[in-house]
């Protein structure tokens, strides 16, 4: 028997998963799209969400985890309000992006793929952000900062409240 507390806690997730799974007529072939929709709603795919998807879509939990952990588009950890992405593509690397990444890591006391405790920032790296000629590139949310000097980084991060 499910306890009242657990039942209440899982109602929101259950209902959200039910709505998304239902919108795809419980089609198992739509698993990736279902996970994308749920990640859009929750910001990440928690264990609770994955378990609900497994149960409601009647797909083994191992298969759901396999998909969620394979694709880079999915995050099993909550993300911060601001996503900092430092390009580590070849063109940006030769122009100094590793140094920028080290400085940002030190300023925030975070490694790539980590989220700050206050949920303000998630630090990521990218392989190419599509504007190589202007590198090195640091992207904060939807804003591209091209050729930032190390001394610009503090101001750039402070502008993301
Ligand atoms: S390598 Fe950095 S934008 Fe292409």
């Amino acid at each position: 028997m499910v306890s009242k507390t657990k039942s209440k806690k899982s109602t929101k997730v259950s209902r959200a998963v039910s709505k998304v799974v239902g919108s795809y007529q419980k089609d198992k072939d739509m698993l990736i799209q279902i996970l994308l929709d749920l990640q859009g709603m929750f910001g990440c795919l928690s264990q609770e969400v994955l378990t609900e998807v497994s149960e409601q879509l009647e797909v083994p939990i191992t298969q759901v985890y396999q998909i969620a952990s394979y694709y880079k588009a999915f995050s099993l950890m909550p993300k911060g309000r601001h996503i900092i992405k430092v390009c580590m593509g070849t063109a940006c690397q030769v122009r100094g992006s590793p140094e920028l990444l080290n400085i940002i890591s030190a300023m925030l006391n975070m490694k790539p793929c980590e989220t700050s405790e206050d949920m303000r920032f998630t630090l990521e790296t990218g392989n190419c952000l599509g504007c190589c000629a202007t590198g090195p590139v640091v992207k904060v949310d939807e804003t591209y900062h091209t050729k930032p000097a190390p001394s610009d980084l503090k101001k750039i991060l402070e502008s993301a409240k």
Side-chain angles (χ1 to χ4, degrees):
M1 186 174 171
V2 178
S3 75
K4 220 174 182 179
T5 311
K6 187 178 179 198
S7 170
K8 236 182 179 179
K9 189 181 166 197
S10 54
T11 300
K12 185 182 166 196
V13 170
S14 292
R15 277 201 303 246
V17 172
S18 174
K19 192 175 170 190
V20 172
V21 167
S23 72
Y24 293 100
Q25 291 80 44
K26 291 193 168 192
D27 183 349
K28 294 175 174 52
D29 291 338
M30 298 307 289
L31 175 58
I32 292 174
Q33 190 57 50
I34 288 168
L35 293 177
L36 280 171
D37 287 3
L38 289 166
Q39 177 161 285
M41 278 181 185
F42 293 107
C44 68
L45 298 172
S46 67
Q47 185 177 348
E48 189 181 3
V49 169
L50 297 178
T51 302
E52 281 291 338
V53 170
S54 166
E55 289 174 6
Q56 293 192 30
L57 203 56
E58 296 174 359
V59 171
I61 188 70
T62 49
Q63 189 183 338
V64 177
Y65 264 105
Q66 199 175 21
I67 298 284
S69 56
Y70 178 78
Y71 291 100
K72 220 177 171 181
F74 295 125
S75 174
L76 302 181
M77 300 288 289
K79 292 206 174 190
R81 296 191 302 281
H82 301 287
I83 310 296
I84 303 165
K85 191 171 265 191
V86 180
C87 183
M88 297 300 279
T90 307
C92 286
Q93 277 206 40
V94 298
R95 292 183 175 137
S97 63
E99 186 195 354
L100 297 178
L101 179 61
N102 286 340
I103 294 169
I104 293 171
S105 285
M107 286 170 69
L108 299 175
N109 196 22
M110 290 165 54
K111 293 182 184 133
C113 300
E114 288 185 351
T115 295
S116 59
E117 277 181 26
D118 63 1
M119 303 301 291
R120 185 174 172 198
F121 294 115
T122 295
L123 180 58
E124 298 180 346
T125 58
N127 286 329
C128 178
L129 303 184
C131 46
C132 311
T134 60
V137 179
V138 175
K139 186 177 169 213
V140 180
D141 301 325
E142 298 308 314
T143 305
Y144 290 76
H145 300 274
T146 57
K147 295 182 186 164
S151 57
D152 296 333
L153 294 174
K154 190 175 177 209
K155 202 172 169 187
I156 289 169
L157 296 185
E158 280 174 359
S159 67
K161 299 286 179 199

